[in-house]
Amino acid sequence: MGGPSALPLLLLLASCGAPGGANLSQDDSQPWTSDETVVAGGTVVLKCQVKDHEDSSLQWSNPAQQTLYFGEKRALRDNRIQLVRSTPHELSISISNVALADEGEYTCSIFTMPVRTAKSLVTVLGIPQKPIISGYKSSLREKETTTLNCQSSGSKPAAQLTWRKGDQELHGEPTRVQEDPNGKTFTVSSSVTFQVSRDDDGADIVCSVNHESLKGADRSTSQRIEVLYTPTAKIRPDPPHPREGQKLLLHCEGRGNPVPQQYLWEKEGSVPPLKMTQESALIFPFLNKSDSGTYGCTATSNMGSYKAYYTLNVNDPSPVPSSSSTYHAIIGGIVAFIVFLLLILLIFLGHYLIRHKGTYLTHEAKGSDDAPDADTAIINAEGGQSGGDDKKEYFI
C-alpha cells in the first residue's frame, strides 16, 4: 500500500530538485542551442534561439566569458568571428579557421529577469599528420624477419594505425598513445613484425592512419622492400619442335634477386662442360641426330645456384607444316573447287547442246519426207518418160 502511494511524491521531489525542473521545457524565455564538432582549420556556426525574448537581446560569449556579439553588435575584435543572423528570436555567429584553443563551452544569454543561459560545447578535432615509417635499412634475405615502426602526431582524439602489405592486412601491435607537449593532441605509434619471402620482393608495406577528422580520406605512407633470394631457371627451346638441319637456341631463363650472372651448360654423358658464359643461350647452328640428349643449365648468382634440365630429341628433317604451306594448301583447295565448278558447268552445257541438236535433226528428217529435194524430182521426171505407170523413186 505504502509503495505505490509514495511514487508520485518521489517524482515530484525529483522534478523540483532538478535545475529548472520540468518547467524548463515550458519556459518560453529559456534560450536553447546545440553542441558542435569542427575540424581544426574549419568553420563552426553557433546558433541560439528563444521563443519569448521579453524585449531583450541575445548574447554570445566564449569560454573565457568574453562577449562576442550582443545582438547585432560586435563586442570582440576577432575577424574570424562573423554575424550570421540576428533577430529578436535568434542570434547566430560563425567562427572560421578554428584552432584547438577555440575548444570549450560557449554561452548564449538573454537578460531577462532572471538572466537565462544556454551552453554549447564546441569540440575541435586535431588532424593527424601523415604517418612516418621507420626500421627499414637495407635489402632483406628470403625468410628473414623484420620489424617496421609507424608514427603519427597531432591527432585529437587519438588516431588508430593499421598495416597492410599490398592488399593483405598485416596484424601489428596495438596502437600506442602519447600526449603531445601542447596537452591537447596525441602522438600514436605502432609496429609490425613479419617474415619475408621471395614473393615480397618489390612489395609495398603501408601504414594508414584512421581518424574521424579525415572523413574517410586516405592518409598513409608506404615502404617498398627488397628481398634477396636464390635463383630459379627453366630451359626454353627455339623453335619448340627442333628438326635435323635447323638452327636451335636453348634459352636458360633465370630469375632471382639479384638476377643470375653466370650460366653453365652441360650435356649428360659429355665432359667437360659445353659452355660457361654470362649469356643464357646455347646455340646449335645446324642440328644433327647426335645432338639429341639431356642438357643441363646451372644459373648462378651470389645468393646461390639452380640447375634446370631439358631433353632434346632431334626429329627427322621432314618439314613441319608451316603457315606458308597451310596458305598454299588453302589456295590449292580454292583452285580445285573452281575447276570442279567449271567441269560441272561444261557437262551441263554439253548435255544441253546435245539435246537441242537432236531436236534440230529430227525436224530436218520430217521436212525431207514432206518436200523431196530437186534431185529426187528430176529422177521422178525421167522415170515418168520411160516407164509409164511404173514409178520408182531413187534418193541420191
Side-chain angles (χ1 to χ4, degrees):
M1 295 287 295
S5 61
L7 183 59
L9 180 61
L10 291 175
L11 293 175
L12 178 62
L13 291 175
S15 63
C16 292
N23 294 328
L24 283 177
S25 60
Q26 300 175 0
D27 188 353
D28 292 340
S29 298
Q30 173 64 40
W32 72 89
T33 184
S34 60
D35 295 338
E36 303 293 339
T37 299
V38 60
V39 177
T43 299
V44 63
V45 175
L46 302 179
K47 183 178 182 180
C48 181
Q49 294 175 289
V50 66
K51 188 173 183 181
D52 184 6
H53 55 84
E54 297 185 12
D55 295 327
S56 182
S57 297
L58 293 167
Q59 171 188 290
W60 272 111
S61 57
N62 63 15
Q65 296 305 311
Q66 296 173 311
T67 301
L68 303 178
Y69 267 89
F70 182 75
E72 60 182 10
K73 297 179 180 180
R74 181 194 295 270
L76 186 67
R77 292 186 177 181
D78 187 340
N79 292 330
R80 300 180 307 134
I81 304 173
Q82 298 292 328
L83 179 66
V84 176
R85 181 180 176 85
S86 176
T87 68
H89 300 281
E90 178 186 338
L91 178 61
S92 296
I93 62 173
S94 67
I95 306 175
S96 61
N97 196 21
V98 175
L100 292 172
D102 294 323
E103 184 175 83
E105 199 171 58
Y106 289 74
T107 304
C108 175
S109 306
I110 186 168
F111 294 93
T112 56
M113 294 297 293
V115 176
R116 295 172 173 84
T117 61
K119 303 292 184 179
S120 174
L121 178 62
V122 174
T123 302
V124 180
L125 302 177
I127 304 174
Q129 298 177 3
K130 186 175 182 177
I132 300 173
I133 296 178
S134 60
Y136 181 77
K137 297 179 180 179
S138 61
S139 302
L140 303 168
R141 289 179 174 266
E142 187 177 15
K143 297 183 180 180
E144 184 178 349
T145 298
T146 186
T147 299
L148 298 180
N149 304 301
C150 181
Q151 180 176 291
S152 173
S153 302
S155 60
K156 176 183 175 297
Q160 292 294 318
L161 298 174
T162 58
W163 292 92
R164 71 177 189 272
K165 178 176 63 178
D167 296 330
Q168 176 187 356
E169 181 181 359
L170 292 177
H171 298 286
E173 295 182 359
T175 302
R176 300 180 294 274
V177 180
Q178 182 179 358
E179 189 177 61
D180 292 334
N182 59 20
K184 294 181 178 294
T185 59
F186 300 90
T187 294
V188 293
S189 59
S190 177
S191 60
V192 63
T193 301
F194 59 97
Q195 187 183 65
V196 298
S197 67
R198 63 181 57 204
D199 294 332
D200 296 328
D201 183 37
D204 288 324
I205 308 301
V206 181
C207 175
S208 300
V209 57
N210 301 319
H211 194 261
E212 55 186 306
S213 66
L214 300 177
K215 298 180 180 179
D218 178 63
R219 178 155 295 187
S220 60
T221 299
S222 63
Q223 173 65 62
R224 180 160 294 184
I225 62 174
E226 181 183 16
V227 180
L228 305 176
Y229 57 92
T230 56
T232 59
K234 65 177 181 179
I235 299 175
R236 178 178 59 85
D238 182 21
H241 304 289
R243 293 184 175 274
E244 189 175 9
Q246 287 183 328
K247 180 181 178 180
L248 173 67
L249 278 76
L250 293 182
H251 297 277
C252 188
E253 298 178 342
R255 179 178 177 270
N257 188 18
V259 295
Q261 294 97 21
Q262 191 177 71
Y263 297 90
L264 175 65
W265 284 96
E266 300 172 283
K267 181 181 180 182
E268 286 189 356
S270 177
V271 289
L274 299 176
K275 185 180 181 182
M276 180 179 290
T277 179
Q278 293 182 351
E279 298 179 358
S280 60
L282 181 63
I283 302 175
F284 297 84
F286 191 87
L287 271 180
N288 293 311
K289 287 285 189 178
S290 59
D291 293 325
S292 297
T294 300
Y295 290 81
C297 170
T298 302
T300 303
S301 71
N302 56 11
M303 289 296 295
S305 60
Y306 183 89
K307 191 170 185 178
Y309 292 94
Y310 173 75
T311 300
L312 172 62
N313 294 314
V314 180
N315 298 314
D316 294 333
S318 55
V320 178
S322 61
S323 58
S324 60
S325 61
T326 303
Y327 173 77
H328 293 155
I330 293 173
I331 296 299
I334 294 174
V335 171
F337 180 71
I338 294 174
V339 171
F340 177 72
L341 290 179
L342 290 175
L343 288 175
I344 293 178
L345 182 61
L346 289 174
I347 291 173
F348 276 102
L349 183 60
H351 183 68
Y352 175 81
L353 292 176
I354 291 172
R355 289 185 59 187
H356 280 72
K357 186 176 180 182
T359 305
Y360 175 74
L361 294 175
T362 304
H363 288 168
E364 282 190 343
K366 289 182 178 180
S368 299
D369 292 339
D370 297 335
D373 58 17
D375 293 336
T376 306
I378 293 171
I379 294 173
N380 288 339
E382 293 178 350
Q385 294 177 0
S386 59
D389 296 334
D390 297 328
K391 298 180 180 180
K392 294 184 181 177
E393 294 182 359
Y394 295 91
F395 291 94
I396 299 175

